[in-house]
Each structure stands twice: as C-alpha cells, then as structure tokens.
C-alpha cells in the first residue's frame, strides 16, 4: 500500500519544483539561524538567494560528521531549544556523539515518513508490530514506533535483547511484523531452531530490516528460515533516523523520500557531483527539518540513484542497497574494493563463515590482497583437496565479481579476532 499517494507519486517536474522551493527556504533558514553555515557561506561568498536551480546546490559546501561533533551539542540547531521537543543522538563510540533535535512539526513529518516505510514493507493497521531496536537515544525504535502507531498497527515496544522473551512474546501476542536488524533476525531463527520452535507456528509474515546492510544473500536466508517476506529500509540518524528510504514490494531498490531529503551522489575522493546512475557517496540536504536542517551532509554510504519508474507506482527516486562505506574503500591496483562486497561474495559460498580479514601489501610496486577466510567446523574437517578447491572457488568468484586478484587463505574456525565494536576487517601494510 502507498501511504501518502499525493507525495510519493508526484511527477518529476513537480518533485523538482518542490525540492527547489524547499531548498531555497532551508538555505535561507540556516544562513540566518546557524552561525556554522553563515560563516561558511560568507567565507565562500555565496548567498542562499543565488540558488536558481537544483544544480546550484553543488556550489554549497559539504557538511561532515566532524562538523556536527564540533557543534556538540546544539550548535547546528536552527531554532531555540524551547522549540525542540525531542533530542536523539548517536552512541558516540568513536568520538563525541552527534546530536539531533526535532520540533513538533519534525516529529509529525518523521511519523509520516516512517509510515511510508512501513506501508511499503506491507504493514497495515491489522498488523502486530514487534520493535526490537533499542529504545533510547538511538533514532531507530522511536522513529518506526511513531509511524506504526500512525498507521494504526498494534505496536509492541520490546526494545533489544532477551531473545527467549522476544520469541515468547511473538508466540503469545501473535506478532505479524518484525522490526530488527537483519543479523538479529538470524539470531532469532537460530534460537528457534535450538529450542525446536517451528517458525511456521508463529503468525509472523513480514520482516522490516534496517540499521545495518542486508545483502541479498542475507535476505534470502532470513526469508527461508523465518518464512517471512523481508524488506530493507535505510535511515541516517543525523538527517532524521529511519524514514529516509525503503523498499517496496518490487524490491528493486529503496524509494528515497526526496521531498524531504534531496540526494546527491559525489565522488568520495574529489567531492564532485557525479551524473545520474553513477556509483558514489550519498549526500543529503534535509530541507524540511525545522530544528536541524542539514546542507549536503556526507553519509559516507556508497550507492547509486535510479530515476526509472518502479512497478509499484511510486515516482520517488530509488537508491541501490548500500554496498559499502566510503571511509572503508580500499583502492587495490586501481580498483575500488569494499569489504562489504567481499563479504557478499563469501556469503554465497557454502561452508564459509562471514568472518574474514583482508591484508593489503605492496610488493615491487604492485598491490596484493590476501583474504583470510574462516571455515565452519564441518568444512574444516574436510580433506585437503576439497579445501584447495574451495580456495580456488573463492578466488575465482572475487576476481569475477570485483575484478581484483586475491590470494585466499583458509583458516581454522574462530581464529580471526572478534571485537565488540567494529571488527578489524582490514590490515593495510602499504606505505603511502
Ligand atoms: Zn516501488
């Protein structure tokens, strides 16, 4: 179902016109009310009024996560704190947190946008929605919670953890839609297998996944193990939270709510705007936010935007699933490689665990890539010949899909270090 037919099915010219008007207004608001932007625009000698077309946006400077950190906590707010009714922030694991504020109107828009996401994923007022994101400063749980209530679904605010109880609630309360990270969905499936609970005995039929990448292979696995239809959705805490983009039933990209977030694709190295259909880093201008409009915010997420019409009737531009982070990008022998792409290749191969480490070296001016891949317990006991075959297969698939040559080294189960936070996926020994 399309939640907001009027705004999700606009003609291209109408969208462009709407974006331009909202952009002009947002640029004026930040210039008047946010000293960070005023200083920047003044330094470059650009005035918000000079913007005549959407392409003119490219003249304005990019906003980085570091800029938000330096403005901690309220420096990026365009309104006084008394207008702000909600505050969320990032965890701040890797530095100062980034804070984002919402006015009443922002919350209203946010609910509308997550209602679009949930409707695209198949949720209706007849559904019982179990939310397993953490309720707290993180935007995921509250954002989708509001949207689900707006639709009229019955919402179970479970928050994270306690897998046993999550499943009991699912059984007793007859949950029909699960909202979680894709990896948590797999954890639930594993738990049910261990406890001999048949997923088919549940009322579950939909899974809406976000907060981390969900490659196609992972989606398939979740669907097969939980007997549900899974859709992917995408959010950025700094620009809003969930509600930025989501898959429809066609599942050929995520419809981006571009009436609120104007997307651009840039070259992550030069910062130049790339033509439509190019792979690059996603940048957003949040034109409708009152408390915290952001101009050209670098998400660091790599994707492609597509304008072709979708079979569902929505006209909103679509983005491909995120295939990596621009700050993770490795350039190996001139080819751009993302650890997530290697992970996708590995996940397609049976007997291989998604635990790996990439070692990059430079020998006689040539870049070399070694992929250490962990084996599952069963595969590890196989005979040497079989293992050699597996090494060859991984190497061949990497070459075929990513265009780089790699040496593959299979290692014993559980030998690659795990850490609580981000796994150390890459060891780059090259001297620049
Ligand atoms: Zn669609």
């Amino acid at each position: 179902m399309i939640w907001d037919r009027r705004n999700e099915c606009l003609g291209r010219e109408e969208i462009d016109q709407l974006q331009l008007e909202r952009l002009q207004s947002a640029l004026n608001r930040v210039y008047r009310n946010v000293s960070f932007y005023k200083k920047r625009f003044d330094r470059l000698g650009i005035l918000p009024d000079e913007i005549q077309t959407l392409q003119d946006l490219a003249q304005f400077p990019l906003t980085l996560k570091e800029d938000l950190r330096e403005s901690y906590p309220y420096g990026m707010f365009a309104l006084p704190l008394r207008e702000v009714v909600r505050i969320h922030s990032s965890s701040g694991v890797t530095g100062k947190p980034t804070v984002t504020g919402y006015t009443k109107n922002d919350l209203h828009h946010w609910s509308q946008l997550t209602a679009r996401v949930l409707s695209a994923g198949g949720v209706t007022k007849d559904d019982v929605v179990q939310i397993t994101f953490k309720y707290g400063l993180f935007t995921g749980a509250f954002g989708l919670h509001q949207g689900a209530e707006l639709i009229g679904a019955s919402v179970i605010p479970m928050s994270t953890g306690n897998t046993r109880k999550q499943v009991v609630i699912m059984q007793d309360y007859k949950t029909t839609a699960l909202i979680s990270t894709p990896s948590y969905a797999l954890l639930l499936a594993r738990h049910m297998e261990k406890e001999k609970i048949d997923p088919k005995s549940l009322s579950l039929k939909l899974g809406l996944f976000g907060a981390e990448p969900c490659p196609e292979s992972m989606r398939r696995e979740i669907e097969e193990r939980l007997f549900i239809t899974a859709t992917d959705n995408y959010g950025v805490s700094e620009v809003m939270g969930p509600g930025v983009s989501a898959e429809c039933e066609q599942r050929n990209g995520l419809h981006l709510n571009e009436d609120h977030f104007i997307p651009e694709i840039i070259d992550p190295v030069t910062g130049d705007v790339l033509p439509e259909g190019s792979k690059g880093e996603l940048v957003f201008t949040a034109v409708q936010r009152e408390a915290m409009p952001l101009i050209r915010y670098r998400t660091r997420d790599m994707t492609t935007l597509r304008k072709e019409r979708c079979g569902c009737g929505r006209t909103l531009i679509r983005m491909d699933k995120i295939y990596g982070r621009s700050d993770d990008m490795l350039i190996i022998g001139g080819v751009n490689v993302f650890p997530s792409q290697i992970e996708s290749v590995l996940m397609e191969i049976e007997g291989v665990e998604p635990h790996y480490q990439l070692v990059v070296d430079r020998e006689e001016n040539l870049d070399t890539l070694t992929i250490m891949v962990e084996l599952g317990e069963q595969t590890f006991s196989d005979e040497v010949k079989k293992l050699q075959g597996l090494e060859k297969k991984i190497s061949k698939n990497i070459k075929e899909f990513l265009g780089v040559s790699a040496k593959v080294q299979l290692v014993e189960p559980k030998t690659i270090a795990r850490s609580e936070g981000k796994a150390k996926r890459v060891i780059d020994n090259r001297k620049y």
Side-chain angles (χ1 to χ4, degrees):
M1 197 199 100
I2 299 177
W3 174 255
D4 183 354
R5 193 166 281 279
R6 194 168 68 86
N7 287 305
E8 291 179 79
C9 306
L10 291 169
R12 182 44 53 188
E13 273 179 26
E14 286 174 293
I15 296 179
D16 288 352
Q17 184 57 30
L18 193 67
Q19 285 184 335
L20 183 60
E21 284 164 17
R22 290 179 173 176
L23 178 61
Q24 285 164 334
S25 156
L27 287 169
N28 273 298
R29 277 185 289 129
V30 298
Y31 186 70
R32 276 199 313 270
N33 302 319
V34 185
S35 65
F36 166 83
Y37 283 117
K38 179 166 181 2
K39 274 187 214 148
R40 281 227 169 158
F41 295 179
D42 284 347
R43 203 184 319 141
L44 291 167
I46 38 176
L47 284 170
D49 292 333
E50 285 167 13
I51 199 148
Q52 300 298 325
T53 67
L54 285 170
Q55 285 68 41
D56 294 340
L57 177 58
Q59 300 164 12
F60 286 81
L62 295 157
T63 307
L64 312 180
K65 198 180 183 98
E66 292 74 49
D67 297 325
L68 269 61
R69 286 188 175 138
E70 280 163 24
S71 314
Y72 177 85
Y74 302 140
M76 298 299 268
F77 285 14
L79 286 171
L81 202 54
R82 65 173 178 277
E83 303 290 334
V84 173
V85 298
R86 175 89 67 77
I87 292 161
H88 280 285
S89 86
S90 67
S91 60
V93 174
T94 51
K96 255 193 186 158
T98 53
V99 178
T100 179
Y102 305 79
T103 62
K104 272 190 186 160
N105 250 336
D106 288 334
L107 286 189
H108 166 75
H109 284 149
W110 195 12
S111 306
Q112 285 288 339
L113 294 179
T114 50
R116 289 187 196 177
V117 166
L118 290 153
S119 300
V123 175
T124 69
K125 67 180 175 47
D126 298 323
D127 279 296
V128 178
V129 179
Q130 187 162 332
I131 299 180
T132 72
F133 286 139
K134 195 177 172 72
Y135 280 73
L137 288 172
F138 172 59
T139 51
F142 278 101
L144 289 155
H145 183 120
Q146 298 155 189
E149 282 188 349
L150 186 64
I151 289 175
S154 314
V155 186
I156 310 173
M158 275 299 287
S159 201
T160 45
N162 207 340
T163 303
R164 197 192 60 80
K165 196 174 169 194
Q166 298 271 8
V167 175
V168 172
I169 294 277
M170 239 175 234
Q171 290 173 308
D172 294 350
Y173 296 10
K174 304 203 171 359
T175 302
T176 58
L178 169 69
I179 293 186
S180 75
T181 59
S183 53
Y184 192 64
L186 286 176
L187 191 83
L188 286 166
R190 271 199 294 280
H191 172 83
M192 286 187 232
E193 275 155 32
K194 210 172 80 199
E195 299 292 318
K196 307 223 170 349
I197 297 166
D198 181 5
K200 278 192 244 169
S201 70
L202 303 173
S203 308
L204 208 59
K205 57 184 170 65
L206 301 172
L208 288 87
F209 302 113
E212 63 180 29
C214 180
E216 218 39 69
S217 50
M218 198 170 186
R219 184 219 300 273
R220 265 202 311 277
E221 192 180 343
I222 295 170
E223 291 193 322
E224 282 163 13
R225 289 171 77 174
L226 287 177
F227 301 95
I228 56 173
T229 303
T231 47
D232 193 8
N233 67 84
Y234 170 81
V236 182
S237 304
E238 292 81 10
V239 306
M240 182 67 103
V244 174
S245 68
E247 281 179 325
C248 62
E249 71 275 9
Q250 306 276 331
R251 304 201 294 186
N252 53 3
L254 288 77
H255 286 285
L256 208 157
N257 289 317
E258 53 178 325
D259 48 336
H260 286 252
F261 314 106
I262 300 179
E264 293 171 283
I265 293 289
I266 63 163
D267 178 324
V269 179
T270 63
D272 294 339
V273 175
L274 299 176
E276 200 200 319
S278 314
K279 271 185 184 176
E281 185 184 322
L282 188 57
V283 167
F284 281 122
T285 298
V287 284
Q288 284 290 78
R289 291 289 300 281
E290 288 182 340
M292 203 171 112
L294 283 177
I295 309 301
R296 307 194 76 210
Y297 182 68
R298 287 189 70 161
T299 63
R300 301 284 173 189
D301 288 322
M302 300 289 291
T303 186
T304 303
L305 296 178
R306 302 182 190 281
K307 273 188 186 161
E308 305 100 73
R309 287 296 273 270
C310 179
C312 72
R314 289 174 184 82
T315 51
L316 296 168
I317 203 164
R318 279 170 295 151
M319 58 183 256
D320 288 355
K321 278 172 177 285
I322 300 296
Y323 61 86
R325 304 258 316 152
S326 64
D327 33 13
D328 286 346
M329 187 172 84
L330 286 165
I331 305 175
I332 297 169
V335 182
N336 296 346
V337 178
F338 293 91
S340 56
Q341 292 176 304
I342 292 181
E343 189 168 327
S344 303
V345 171
L346 294 179
M347 279 184 74
E348 296 287 340
I349 298 170
E350 215 176 316
V352 169
E353 295 289 306
H355 297 294
Y356 62 92
Q357 198 162 49
L358 311 178
V359 184
V360 192
D361 267 300
R362 186 167 287 157
E363 289 164 18
E364 292 173 5
N365 292 322
L366 284 175
D367 294 337
T368 62
L369 170 66
T370 306
I371 310 176
M372 321 255 278
V373 184
E374 223 174 81
L375 294 174
E377 293 283 353
Q378 261 183 336
T379 322
F380 189 65
S381 56
D382 282 349
E383 51 192 273
V384 177
K385 217 171 146 187
K386 261 194 181 166
L387 295 181
Q388 283 171 341
L390 189 59
E391 273 182 4
K392 265 197 192 140
K393 185 174 178 188
I394 297 172
S395 193
K396 184 175 155 275
N397 285 9
I398 296 279
K399 177 82 195 171
E400 202 172 301
F401 292 111
L402 306 183
V404 288
S405 302
K407 203 170 117 199
V408 175
Q409 205 176 322
L410 301 174
V411 298
E412 281 180 52
K414 302 198 172 58
T415 40
I416 292 172
R418 319 269 202 278
S419 60
E420 276 299 312
K422 280 185 184 167
K424 180 96 181 132
R425 291 284 187 219
V426 180
I427 299 174
D428 196 339
N429 295 321
R430 292 175 293 187
K431 308 257 182 299
Y432 293 95

